[in-house]
Amino acid sequence: MSDPRFQSMHLEGLPRRDLFRAARAQLEAVCGERTLAGDLGMLADRDPGDGATVDVILRPGTTFWVQDGDCMHALNLGVNGVGRLHDNDVVIRDECVSRRHCAIVVHRDGTCQIHDVASKNGTILNGKRINGTTGLRDGDSIDLCSRKLVFRACQPSTTAASA
């Protein structure tokens, strides 16, 4: 019996491997200097200066994570792989999730983006299928097949420093 969660589609023209390589190249191009290893705190209260639109410049100590039910997956600066394989940063144990489903990029300027990495079933952000680079905000819902993840960003409290 076929599992209805698998919305497998036949990709006309290009083999899946070529689609994956194209998605990976797009992801690498987006990273560039905005994602070079660095301390997010160094950029607090500063304009990134590269013409990028930044909703919020984050304070030192800001943390990002993905919530999968009761499980919390911390995100690191740079590319964070999400998928079924054990070497992803966020491992989702669900057979309908692709081995390398999507990637969440945490830029050094405190912005975050999600990219579908040519997954078979696609990546849904707040009810809409993503196509290409898409920005993330705290509380965004990410659907990978039947798995519902929540993107979180937590800035440190400013009241603790006054003591």
Side-chain angles (χ1 to χ4, degrees):
M1 179 183 271
S2 177
D3 188 332
R5 296 180 302 167
F6 289 101
Q7 303 289 324
S8 176
M9 58 186 194
H10 298 282
L11 303 171
E12 309 267 335
L14 293 174
R16 287 195 48 76
R17 181 171 295 168
D18 290 341
L19 289 172
F20 174 77
R21 287 180 179 147
R24 184 177 60 197
Q26 179 188 21
L27 180 61
E28 289 171 353
V30 167
C31 291
E33 289 186 20
R34 288 184 61 204
T35 316
L36 293 175
D39 179 13
L40 286 174
M42 291 172 39
L43 297 163
D45 301 318
R46 282 187 27 202
D47 177 31
D50 62 0
T53 305
V54 177
D55 295 323
V56 179
I57 298 293
L58 300 168
R59 294 190 302 271
T62 299
T63 56
F64 302 98
W65 68 92
V66 173
Q67 183 176 352
D68 178 15
D70 292 335
C71 188
M72 306 294 268
H73 302 276
L75 300 175
N76 301 308
L77 184 64
V79 178
N80 296 270
V82 180
R84 210 173 60 227
L85 284 180
H86 70 281
D87 63 346
N88 283 298
D89 299 287
V90 178
V91 177
I92 306 296
R93 299 193 191 290
D94 188 324
E95 287 302 313
C96 79
V97 172
S98 294
R99 291 174 289 190
R100 299 200 188 284
H101 200 101
C102 64
I104 298 175
V105 181
V106 177
H107 295 288
R108 65 182 181 163
D109 63 7
T111 59
C112 297
Q113 298 173 318
I114 188 167
H115 303 263
D116 185 76
V117 188
S119 66
K120 240 183 174 169
N121 297 309
T123 301
I124 310 298
L125 180 66
N126 298 324
K128 295 182 182 175
R129 186 182 186 113
I130 64 169
N131 293 311
T133 305
T134 307
L136 285 170
R137 293 178 177 270
D138 183 38
D140 278 350
S141 172
I142 303 167
D143 295 342
L144 310 177
C145 300
S146 63
R147 293 302 281 266
K148 299 204 180 293
L149 311 176
V150 179
F151 173 76
R152 295 289 182 196
C154 180
Q155 295 192 31
S157 171
T158 57
T159 58
S162 61

